[in-house]
Amino acid sequence: MNNYKLITKQNLHSFFDALQPKNTIIAPKEINKKYYFKPVDKFEDIALDYIQTVLSAKSVLFPRSDTLFNYHRADGDYNIDEPSPIEKNTIVFGMKPCDASSFVYLSNFFLKDYQDKNIKERLEKLYIISLSCKEADNACFCTSVGSNPASTKGSDLNLTLIENDTYYVEVVTEKGQELINYSADLFQDTKEIDKSKYIANVPQKFDVEQAKQNIDSIFESPLWVKDSLACLGCGICAYACPTCTCFDIQDIGSQFNGSRVRNWDSCAFDLFTKHASGHNPRPVQSQRWRNRIKHKFEYSVENLGLISCVGCGRCIRSCPTSMNIVKTVQIFQGV
Amino acid sequence: MTELQNIAKKLFDDGSINLLIGYSNNENGGTSAIFIDNSADIDKLIYNENCHQNLMVYFQKPEVKKFGKLAFVVSLPGLKSVLEIASENQIKDGDAYFIAIDKDGNPSLLQDFHQIEDFITNNQTKPPMGLLKLMEKINNMTREERWQYWTDEFSKCIKCYACRSVCPLCYCTQCITDINIPQWISTESSPIGNLDWHIARAMHLAGRCIGCGECMKACPVDIPLALLTANLNKSIAIHFGDEPGMKADYKYPLSHYKLEDKENFIR
Ligand code: SF4
Ligand code: SF4
Ligand code: SF4
């Protein structure tokens, strides 16, 4: 439905003030020179010129710990109540286009076969205002996985800073229009423009189709071991990643009272694949790293028709041992 | 060839080692661990002030161990970890080679624990000022304020367990977090769940932490974890007068009984 508008930075502030009272707004905030998505209630608190946050915004949809239901036993029977997963409409303000596109993957993952109730309700109330990238760093590689720094995929509104403190606004969905309607007179209509000169240059780092042929076909190879010797099997890459969706279901409480909770999990952990017998089909780290890469570029394409990496570079920036998914894909492209 | 590369090359040439773990420049303008299994790759080996990962963590990694004889490029914290794991019977004299980088950046090959002990005594550094200030600030808080401070810090924890994975002293083949029958450490990230984890981690490292700060550097949400273990070390030093990572025959106070101990309930 794309239509095009302009808004000044000052009016963007007023737009925020119009949205704020009725919605929960999550936006990037600076904490000790790093950026994190946090609830904000003042426009000034939003970081508009960040490159990328440490953790993704997936927790808006898929929280670190998500209560599925509470149970308690009374009079010989169990009572179950399902807490409402989301109260107010939630707007993520200023996420990057790579992150916005991760929500396309997330909604496919959680709704395609089985419709996850919590995720579905949250998605219905979720609005995404993305911000095209002015700047990128050398961990960014969206252009290698089919996106670009001004992509509107997954966004409801997309903002691109053009000259003179003015943002070019693309209204991508009905939901985007709904947001505009909060204060439509702050926007000015315009024609479609070519955004490419206003955005970061992100060089393409690999040819994903070519690399995929080898990633798909090579399972047993010393390359997997050689490339992952540094990996120590923590959960940072999976937990920072906007498209990692693995979880672990736990009952917290006693047999009388408690909650069933869905927590993040990571394929880098030893326990992740351990069977009840004690046998672990992926006993060493190289097999876990292989699973991560194959899941992103092979398994999720088989299952959902989508690569589950949007090129945000978080895993590269945050890995304590400087493991680099781009390097791995390049190695496999070159085999 | 640099002096460091010369030392490394010699180790390969005379067949002393199968794998050398050192530092190299990486694709993102930083440095990272490099695993060199033949002398042809030695020109990639570097050392500069950006090389700070404590590589001794790899000593216990199964896929690294499989290579056979290892050599490590290590500075002060790495060597302290060597002595600490030696005192815990995880490494014997002669099990690996250490190319030590002194405080002026010069490399030398250390052959045994005695040389390592001397090196450590001669290359002591002070902990960073910022950290000492924060420690002082926390120690001056009231009990309630301190509780609040740590509760707030722990509430940020996402339980990625990177603080454990990068620690050269967290070498258990099965960490308590990897046991789920029963689930000792809950997997959710909640105030109580996070406290479980941080008490377990800090207590398992009390009097063992050699202060490399890897946990803190790795933490994606910047929790000043090293302060907990540093403070526990301080109490242990006050009560038992011992410091980890200085001697290969360190008697870890929490697992050794001495007749002159103040506590007499065990006698
Ligand atoms: S790749 Fe890095 S972040 Fe991911 S599990 Fe390995 S050490 Fe942790
Ligand atoms: S795998 Fe890495 S680069 Fe790709 S989406 Fe996840 S965190 Fe971003
Ligand atoms: S590294 Fe930080 S976030 Fe991860 S488990 Fe440790 S304290 Fe928590």
Side-chain angles (χ1 to χ4, degrees):
Chain A
M1 67 163 284
N2 286 38
N3 61 60
Y4 311 100
K5 302 189 181 296
L6 296 173
I7 189 169
T8 61
K9 205 166 188 175
Q10 206 178 354
N11 281 345
L12 190 63
H13 191 323
S14 313
F15 182 50
F16 177 92
D17 293 341
L19 298 172
Q20 200 274 330
K22 291 211 175 109
N23 302 281
T24 303
I25 303 190
I26 311 285
K29 233 176 136 168
E30 192 199 314
I31 302 171
N32 291 332
K33 303 198 184 75
K34 291 185 183 175
Y35 299 91
Y36 296 89
F37 284 106
K38 295 278 172 195
V40 290
D41 41 42
K42 286 206 299 290
F43 184 72
E44 298 79 30
D45 289 346
I46 303 179
L48 289 169
D49 52 3
Y50 72 110
I51 289 182
Q52 194 47 285
T53 55
V54 177
L55 306 174
S56 79
K58 73 176 169 194
S59 48
V60 172
L61 208 58
F62 170 45
R64 175 66 183 80
S65 297
D66 195 6
T67 302
L68 305 178
F69 58 80
N70 302 311
Y71 58 88
H72 66 271
R73 195 176 166 89
D75 307 324
D77 210 356
Y78 278 103
N79 296 316
I80 304 281
D81 74 84
E82 298 182 13
S84 160
I86 183 164
E87 300 298 333
K88 280 204 229 167
N89 284 353
T90 298
I91 302 171
V92 186
F93 197 104
M95 74 160 70
K96 292 299 168 86
C98 53
D99 280 359
S101 70
S102 77
F103 280 77
V104 176
Y105 177 81
L106 293 173
S107 44
N108 264 276
F109 178 83
F110 283 109
L111 303 178
K112 194 161 179 182
D113 298 325
Y114 170 77
Q115 300 252 315
D116 187 279
K117 176 182 156 292
N118 282 11
I119 305 277
K120 189 161 182 273
E121 285 181 34
R122 291 194 186 105
L123 258 180
E124 279 160 9
K125 293 189 174 176
L126 181 69
Y127 295 74
I128 295 177
I129 305 180
S130 66
L131 189 64
S132 304
C133 307
K134 278 260 154 221
E135 245 190 300
D137 64 12
N138 50 11
C140 293
F141 62 100
C142 56
T143 49
S144 309
V145 287
S147 184
N148 69 71
S151 164
T152 57
K153 195 173 146 198
S155 305
D156 297 309
L157 290 180
N158 168 255
L159 310 180
T160 307
L161 183 64
I162 57 173
E163 295 106 299
N164 305 333
D165 270 7
T166 302
Y167 288 90
Y168 169 68
V169 184
E170 278 180 73
V171 187
V172 188
T173 63
E174 296 290 344
K175 275 180 157 180
Q177 186 58 47
E178 233 182 273
L179 294 179
I180 298 273
N181 293 345
Y182 272 83
S183 206
D185 48 0
L186 295 171
F187 297 85
Q188 191 192 320
D189 286 332
T190 189
K191 283 204 285 291
E192 182 171 13
I193 65 160
D194 173 17
K195 295 188 281 186
S196 61
K197 59 178 173 203
Y198 302 111
I199 58 171
N201 170 33
V202 180
Q204 194 180 332
K205 297 193 169 162
F206 52 79
D207 177 338
V208 71
E209 284 312 317
Q210 206 186 327
K212 249 186 75 52
Q213 289 177 8
N214 290 329
I215 292 175
D216 293 7
S217 60
I218 299 176
F219 192 76
E220 295 293 353
S221 160
L223 280 177
W224 292 116
V225 182
K226 197 168 163 43
D227 183 44
S228 67
L229 280 172
C231 174
L232 291 168
C234 68
I236 292 186
C237 50
Y239 288 4
C241 177
T243 55
C244 274
T245 44
C246 287
F247 55 78
D248 171 46
I249 304 265
Q250 294 264 327
D251 287 347
I252 315 277
S254 67
Q255 69 261 52
F256 303 112
N257 265 306
S259 314
R260 178 155 297 175
V261 181
R262 170 172 56 202
N263 297 320
W264 290 355
D265 204 347
S266 164
C267 61
F269 294 149
D270 169 68
L271 189 58
F272 186 79
T273 40
K274 195 177 243 165
H275 297 175
S277 65
H279 170 68
N280 192 346
R282 283 183 215 140
V284 290
Q285 207 55 38
S286 57
Q287 297 168 337
R288 300 175 199 142
W289 176 249
R290 174 180 66 195
N291 179 71
R292 176 168 176 79
I293 303 296
K294 280 189 162 262
H295 190 160
K296 301 248 160 244
F297 293 96
E298 180 185 351
Y299 309 149
S300 68
V301 177
E302 268 169 29
N303 294 337
L304 298 166
L306 295 167
I307 288 174
S308 52
C309 169
V310 296
C312 71
R314 285 187 176 87
C315 53
I316 301 172
R317 288 183 208 94
S318 287
C319 174
T321 70
S322 308
M323 290 288 290
N324 188 329
I325 192 169
V326 169
K327 195 174 111 202
T328 307
V329 178
Q330 284 169 342
I331 290 173
F332 280 90
Q333 181 183 337
V335 191
Chain B
M1 246 199 231
T2 62
E3 181 58 18
L4 170 65
Q5 292 169 346
N6 271 326
I7 300 175
K9 184 161 186 314
K10 203 167 163 293
L11 287 171
F12 276 108
D13 289 350
D14 61 20
S16 304
I17 57 167
N18 307 100
L19 185 73
L20 179 124
I21 304 161
Y23 303 92
S24 72
N25 290 315
N26 67 25
E27 309 74 25
N28 285 310
T31 66
S32 44
I34 184 173
F35 300 78
I36 298 178
D37 60 0
N38 70 72
S39 57
D41 279 341
I42 277 188
D43 56 346
K44 300 200 184 100
L45 192 64
I46 59 147
Y47 188 86
N48 60 39
E49 64 284 358
N50 298 326
C51 301
H52 46 58
Q53 191 190 350
N54 185 343
L55 302 178
M56 284 315 295
V57 69
Y58 293 113
F59 180 72
Q60 313 265 21
K61 183 175 170 175
E63 285 175 297
V64 171
K65 267 196 150 140
K66 258 172 67 179
F67 277 83
K69 199 83 173 193
L70 307 175
F72 291 86
V73 176
V74 272
S75 56
L76 181 72
L79 289 166
K80 284 188 159 186
S81 352
V82 173
L83 295 188
E84 181 55 27
I85 60 171
S87 79
E88 297 171 6
N89 302 320
Q90 299 300 311
I91 186 171
K92 287 193 306 295
D93 224 343
D95 274 358
Y97 290 85
F98 305 100
I99 308 180
I101 310 286
D102 70 13
K103 46 184 177 199
D104 304 317
N106 299 318
S108 61
L109 188 66
L110 300 184
Q111 313 270 12
D112 60 39
F113 293 158
H114 270 301
Q115 289 182 342
I116 296 181
E117 285 167 2
D118 292 343
F119 180 96
I120 289 173
T121 318
N122 297 330
N123 283 278
Q124 285 298 349
T125 51
K126 285 216 168 69
M129 243 354 245
L131 209 61
L132 289 177
K133 280 212 176 109
L134 184 58
M135 185 142 142
E136 196 186 309
K137 185 179 139 201
I138 297 170
N139 286 343
N140 286 333
M141 290 177 180
T142 64
R143 212 188 175 93
E144 290 71 26
E145 287 167 345
R146 218 160 44 230
W147 177 254
Q148 198 51 50
Y149 174 83
W150 285 112
T151 310
D152 290 347
E153 286 296 326
F154 294 156
S155 73
K156 304 190 301 199
C157 174
I158 54 169
K159 284 182 140 175
C160 64
Y161 299 137
C163 44
R164 168 207 65 182
S165 304
V166 298
C167 175
L169 301 173
C170 276
Y171 55 71
C172 294
T173 40
Q174 199 173 29
C175 175
I176 189 170
T177 61
D178 290 334
I179 299 172
N180 61 355
I181 322 173
Q183 187 79 50
W184 294 113
I185 306 290
S186 58
T187 65
E188 91 266 31
S189 170
S190 66
I192 187 76
N194 293 357
L195 198 63
D196 290 352
W197 164 234
H198 286 287
I199 290 177
R201 199 193 78 87
M203 291 313 292
H204 288 182
L205 287 158
R208 297 177 57 235
C209 167
I210 50 86
C212 62
E214 287 294 307
C215 50
M216 219 161 77
K217 283 182 255 161
C219 179
V221 294
D222 288 342
I223 302 178
L225 292 162
L227 289 180
L228 291 170
T229 42
N231 239 330
L232 285 164
N233 277 10
K234 216 162 112 185
S235 313
I236 288 176
I238 291 169
H239 295 292
F240 305 99
D242 270 328
E243 193 186 328
M246 300 299 285
K247 297 190 298 293
D249 63 352
Y250 171 57
K251 297 270 178 287
Y252 176 46
L254 302 192
S255 66
H256 283 87
Y257 177 68
K258 284 189 200 151
L259 269 178
E260 61 274 21
D261 270 358
K262 291 187 221 168
E263 302 295 348
N264 60 8
F265 62 88
I266 205 166
R267 278 181 211 166

